[in-house]
Each structure stands twice: as structure tokens, then as C-alpha cells.
Amino acid sequence: MSRVKKGKKLSKDKGLTASLIIIAGLFLIAIFAPWLAPHDPNVGILSNRLLPPSSEHWLGTDHMGRDLFSRIIYGTRTTMVVALIITAGCFMIGTIVGVTAGYAGGWVDSLLMRIVDLLFAFPSRILALVVVGIIGPGLVNLGIAMILSWWVSFARVIRGVTLTVKENEYVLAAKLYGQPKWKIIRKHILPNVMPQLLVIVALNISWIMVALAGFSLLGLGVEAPQAEWGMMISEARPYMRDNGYLLLFPGLAIMIVVSAFTILGEKLRDVYDPSHLKV
């Protein structure tokens, strides 16, 4: 499929357009959180605890009297920034290892892939829990643990794409002309691997957000009183029978952002990697 046809297909896809609008809106909310939040998300008034949604507190208040709407807005910033940092770390390590293994081949490929296979044998969440148990809880440590456990999925896919791309005629011609390996990788391998990399990033960022919320739910991520959707759900559990909105609104926020990134990844995959589709 030519780039022009791919561009036309992307521009006409309503699901892709909707997901991009939602993601762009979430980024704007994260950037302008201080101006959008009507209250300080970390300061509560105990006399206002567990108030239902009203004109003053649009989504109600939590058990500490903090405005839930403001905390969800600031939680967007926390979740998006942390998830993007973790994804960027996985992207960098996975790309370096995957492209190096796929292009170099031989013992380099075997060595790197044995390391990847060893780490891939452990579920990523379990491996992240082990790393957090070793280095301790906290948002920074959780981010390091998730990067160390998630990059292997990037590396496996990128290696496979690199193995295919390096057999193309323009890469073989560049080798015959004596171009250095680093230049071939930069000018011919990476530009052709990038579309598949975007698909991997879009799909993985939604999984990383779910995992991040899950770890915060267990108390291993963001520390109080900082707003984060998973922690908000964790704090709401004792009050969910009589104040279900405390669970509903952060849960909806997680569902919306994960759905948007998942749809984005699937739509990009349909265009750039149609081999998975049944004919």
C-alpha cells in the first residue's frame, strides 16, 4: 500500500479520528490542569468529606474532603506523563536491542535474544513486582521496574521487522556501496521500521497505563496525597458501597484513555501491518 493510500485511509477512519481527538484532549487537560481544576487537588476540608456531586463539587468529594473533579484532572497529568516516560524508556531500549540483534545477526543476535527470551519467560507485571520489591516502592522506582520488565516486548517485535527490512534491495545496495553500518541503520532501517514502532507504542502505552493504575491500587506507585487514578480507586474501596461515584469517575477516566490508545494502535496496525487480518 502506497503512502498516499495509507494517508487517505487514515484520514477517513472515524475511529482513528475520535481516538486522536480524545488523546489530544487528554494532553491539553494534562498541560492546563492548574487552570482547569477549580480546587487544590491535595487540600481537603474534612467538613466537606464524601459530598455527592453538586454545583460546587461537580463530581463530589472524597473521604478527605478533596474535590474529586480536580483530582481526576491532575490525575490525567500524572498518568499521562508517567506512562509516556515509561513507554519512551521501553521504546529506546527495545529499539536499540531489536535493531542491533536483527541487523547484526550471528552471535550478537543469539546473545541478545537469549537475554530477551529469559526476561520474556517471566510475566512483565510479576517481574516488575520483583524489581519493586528489591529497590523499594515509589513512583520513580516503579517506573524503572516497568521499563526493565516491558522493553523485551518492544525488542522482539522490532527485531522481526528489522530482519525483514534488511533484506530489501535498497539496504543490500547500500552495503555494496560500502556505507557504514550505523549509517545504513539510521538512513534505511529505522525510517522503515518506524511505522511498526508507532503501532507498538500506541498499543503498549494503554497496557502500561492499566499496569500503572494496578500498581498504584496496590500502593506501590504514586504516594499520597498526589492525585493518580489507580490510587483514587484504592482510597475509594472502603466507601464504595455508599459512595459509588468515588470508584465510578476514576474508573471511567482509565477506561476512556486506555480505549483511545488501544483504538489508535489497532487502527495504525490495520494500515501498516495488515498481515494479521484474515483474507
Side-chain angles (χ1 to χ4, degrees):
M1 185 184 295
S2 67
R3 292 185 178 180
V4 175
K5 291 182 178 179
K6 288 179 181 179
K8 289 182 178 179
K9 184 175 180 179
L10 288 173
S11 63
K12 294 180 179 179
D13 196 307
K14 295 181 179 179
L16 177 64
T17 302
S19 66
L20 288 174
I21 291 174
I22 292 172
I23 292 170
L26 290 168
F27 275 110
L28 290 175
I29 291 173
I31 293 170
F32 296 104
W35 293 273
L36 295 175
H39 301 276
D40 190 320
N42 300 325
V43 176
I45 302 174
L46 289 179
S47 59
N48 290 339
R49 66 189 302 269
L50 300 177
L51 292 179
S54 63
S55 58
E56 184 179 357
H57 301 285
W58 293 355
L59 302 183
T61 60
D62 64 5
H63 65 292
M64 297 293 292
R66 297 170 297 194
D67 184 66
L68 196 62
F69 179 67
S70 300
R71 287 182 64 77
I72 287 180
I73 288 178
Y74 271 85
T76 305
R77 169 181 284 187
T78 303
T79 301
M80 296 288 285
V81 170
V82 175
L84 287 175
I85 291 174
I86 294 172
T87 305
C90 296
F91 175 86
M92 292 177 62
I93 298 174
T95 300
I96 293 171
V97 174
V99 171
T100 301
Y103 185 77
W107 68 268
V108 175
D109 182 26
S110 298
L111 176 62
L112 292 176
M113 284 301 102
R114 295 298 76 76
I115 296 173
V116 169
D117 291 341
L118 178 63
L119 295 175
F120 201 77
F122 298 93
S124 55
R125 288 173 176 81
I126 301 299
L127 185 58
L129 282 174
V130 172
V131 176
V132 169
I134 294 173
I135 64 179
L139 187 58
V140 175
N141 290 346
L142 177 61
I144 295 173
M146 292 184 68
I147 290 173
L148 293 177
S149 59
W150 242 271
W151 67 268
V152 292
S153 60
F154 284 72
R156 286 169 66 95
V157 177
I158 294 168
R159 171 187 176 269
V161 177
T162 303
L163 288 173
T164 302
V165 172
K166 78 172 188 177
E167 299 300 327
N168 290 331
E169 293 180 356
Y170 53 83
V171 177
L172 299 177
K175 291 180 181 179
L176 291 175
Y177 278 106
Q179 290 188 6
K181 291 183 178 180
W182 65 268
K183 192 172 183 179
I184 293 175
I185 292 174
R186 181 176 62 85
K187 293 186 63 176
H188 301 290
I189 301 294
L190 286 178
N192 290 281
V193 173
M194 196 57 64
Q196 285 78 8
L197 292 181
L198 295 177
V199 176
I200 300 169
V201 167
L203 290 173
N204 274 271
I205 195 171
S206 62
W207 302 334
I208 288 173
M209 285 182 174
V210 172
L212 180 63
F215 286 126
S216 296
L217 183 63
L218 296 175
L220 300 175
V222 177
E223 298 178 356
Q226 189 174 357
E228 197 276 330
W229 296 336
M231 173 171 284
M232 292 170 66
I233 293 176
S234 177
E235 293 176 339
R237 284 184 296 176
Y239 312 96
M240 63 182 181
R241 177 172 295 182
D242 299 323
N243 306 94
Y245 63 90
L246 294 175
L247 285 172
L248 174 63
F249 295 125
L252 283 175
I254 294 173
M255 183 188 73
I256 290 171
V257 67
V258 169
S259 299
F261 277 103
T262 301
I263 292 172
L264 174 63
E266 290 179 348
K267 295 301 181 181
L268 291 175
R269 183 178 61 183
D270 291 344
V271 174
Y272 292 110
D273 186 22
S275 60
H276 71 283
L277 299 175
K278 293 183 179 179
V279 179

